[in-house]
Amino acid sequence: MWSRVAIWLAALLALAWFGRHGSYGLALWARWDSGWFLRIAEHGYASREGTAAFFPAYPGLVAILGRVFLGHYALAGITVSLASCAVAFVLLWRLAQERLGRDGSFRTVLYLAVFPVSLFLQAVYSEALYLAAVLAAFSLAERGRWTWAGLAAALALLTRSAAVALLAALVVLAWPDLRRAAWLLLAPLAFLAFPLVLWRQIDEPWAFLHAQAQWEREWSWAGPLGGLWEGVAKVGNDVESYTHAQSVAINVEGLVFCALFIVLAVLTWRWFGAVYGVFAAVSLALPLSTPAGDFPLLSLPRFGLVVFPFFLVLARVGERPRAHAAIVALSALGLGIAIAEWATYEWVA
């Protein structure tokens, strides 16, 4: 709670300090992609606008709650995000406590709370809902409650396409018990609701398969190596051609986080086993396989925000006081910059 309040107050301070025009109310947390979620929640999907890239669970919940709130869809979106964030924090605490003890679980949640792009966990974005669904699926599966784990995985898949990584990890966890793995079929079966909705609303049931192309994302023939190569090459070209400083900063940021996430994914596999390792590796491979135009690693920090094993690894590294201080200091610095960018309507991802 204190982290969410602190981020909100910091955003208000940044908005006032830099003298930008903008809302000091709920609309402060409805920017960039938030507009698409709110549009879907209020009016449904639209043809030829790329809305099919946004999966239906989050805007669907916002649509229901927004009508309960008499048309205040931004309030509904923030409510869904904050509630999901609270659930995610509690589930991550419990999961980490089993592996790292009480102090380790505190560090895990703290590092998530002050991660440079953790502001998205309270914005009108789907990250908080997805993270809560992923953690619920893992927690239930690890306790042998596979029916409920399959339903949680279905919610995750209806929230973000990245849930493919969750299904892959749960298959590894279930193996070789095919009866357990069979419950995971609930996720793809439930996902069929999405093409049915698209068919009804825009008469294009498979629009989500090619929607990313409208956002300048395409599959690389080299898979994740393609995105990594393009990210490195783009930074080199930007520096050589003296491109605008902001463009250079965005690409350098993506490359730095990419390097960090690769290290964290390797350590996840080594310290926490194949199940979490598969989840981390596939979660990272997916965005790297779909580089985005002039900014190949665009939004990679936000994609890493929901890969919870990364924070387990950081919590283990943070057992040493100096390492803990460095993680908190660097994360808080990055978060402060991200909040200022968000409040002044600069791109942050």
Side-chain angles (χ1 to χ4, degrees):
M1 289 178 65
W2 68 255
S3 67
R4 300 309 96 191
V5 172
I7 289 173
W8 197 308
L9 293 177
L12 293 175
L13 177 62
L15 190 60
W17 183 274
F18 292 106
R20 295 294 183 90
H21 296 289
S23 172
Y24 287 82
L26 298 176
L28 174 62
W29 298 106
R31 297 188 170 181
W32 299 110
D33 285 354
S34 301
W36 294 104
F37 285 117
L38 294 175
R39 183 169 183 172
I40 295 168
E42 189 170 1
H43 304 292
Y45 288 93
S47 182
R48 297 185 297 278
E49 289 186 357
T51 55
F54 301 92
F55 282 26
Y58 181 77
L61 290 174
V62 174
I64 296 171
L65 197 58
R67 286 162 174 77
V68 173
F69 290 168
L70 303 178
H72 295 283
Y73 291 95
L75 174 60
I78 294 170
T79 301
V80 172
S81 293
L82 285 174
S84 301
C85 180
V87 171
F89 278 16
V90 171
L91 291 175
L92 182 59
W93 171 280
R94 292 176 177 175
L95 186 148
Q97 193 168 25
E98 295 174 358
R99 291 160 177 79
L100 301 171
R102 184 175 180 83
D103 290 342
S105 64
F106 173 78
R107 288 193 303 273
T108 303
V109 178
L110 174 65
Y111 295 162
L112 172 62
V114 299
F115 191 67
V117 290
S118 66
L119 59 92
F120 285 101
L121 296 178
Q122 68 198 69
V124 184
Y125 271 68
S126 62
E127 269 69 18
L129 179 62
Y130 174 73
L131 181 58
V134 165
L135 285 164
F138 272 109
S139 297
L140 291 164
E142 289 173 353
R143 286 166 174 75
R145 303 177 67 180
W146 284 93
T147 304
W148 289 103
L151 292 173
L155 176 60
L157 190 59
L158 285 167
T159 304
R160 298 181 69 89
S161 60
V164 172
L166 169 63
L167 292 176
L170 291 180
V171 167
V172 174
L173 181 60
W175 188 263
D177 191 332
L178 298 181
R179 289 177 298 177
R180 292 178 175 180
W183 286 113
L184 300 178
L185 293 175
L186 289 172
L189 288 175
F191 182 77
L192 293 177
F194 188 23
L196 290 175
V197 168
L198 293 175
W199 187 17
R200 179 183 177 185
Q201 293 188 358
I202 63 174
D203 199 28
E204 297 179 39
W206 309 113
F208 67 92
L209 294 175
H210 51 79
Q212 289 295 340
Q214 295 178 261
W215 300 96
E216 298 184 2
R217 286 188 178 273
E218 296 184 358
W219 284 98
S220 169
W221 64 270
L225 294 178
L228 181 60
W229 169 253
E230 290 188 29
V232 173
K234 187 60 180 177
V235 169
N237 292 336
D238 285 349
V239 173
E240 184 178 353
S241 59
Y242 302 102
T243 305
H244 190 273
Q246 187 179 33
S247 298
V248 176
I250 291 174
N251 284 316
V252 169
E253 177 193 53
L255 193 59
V256 169
F257 274 97
C258 181
L260 171 64
F261 291 159
I262 290 173
V263 172
L264 293 177
V266 171
L267 292 177
T268 295
W269 200 299
R270 180 177 178 182
W271 290 348
F272 296 100
V275 174
Y276 287 3
V278 166
F279 176 69
V282 178
S283 294
L284 183 56
L286 288 173
L288 289 179
S289 299
T290 53
D294 292 333
F295 304 99
L297 303 179
L298 188 69
S299 299
L300 192 62
R302 181 162 56 87
F303 297 148
L305 173 67
V306 294
V307 186
F308 73 90
F310 289 169
F311 300 98
L312 293 174
V313 172
L314 288 174
R316 185 165 175 178
V317 173
E319 290 176 353
R320 294 172 293 178
R322 289 185 179 180
H324 171 72
I327 293 170
V328 172
L330 291 174
S331 294
L333 176 62
L335 178 57
I337 295 171
I339 291 171
E341 290 176 326
W342 177 274
T344 56
Y345 230 119
E346 297 292 336
W347 174 254
V348 53

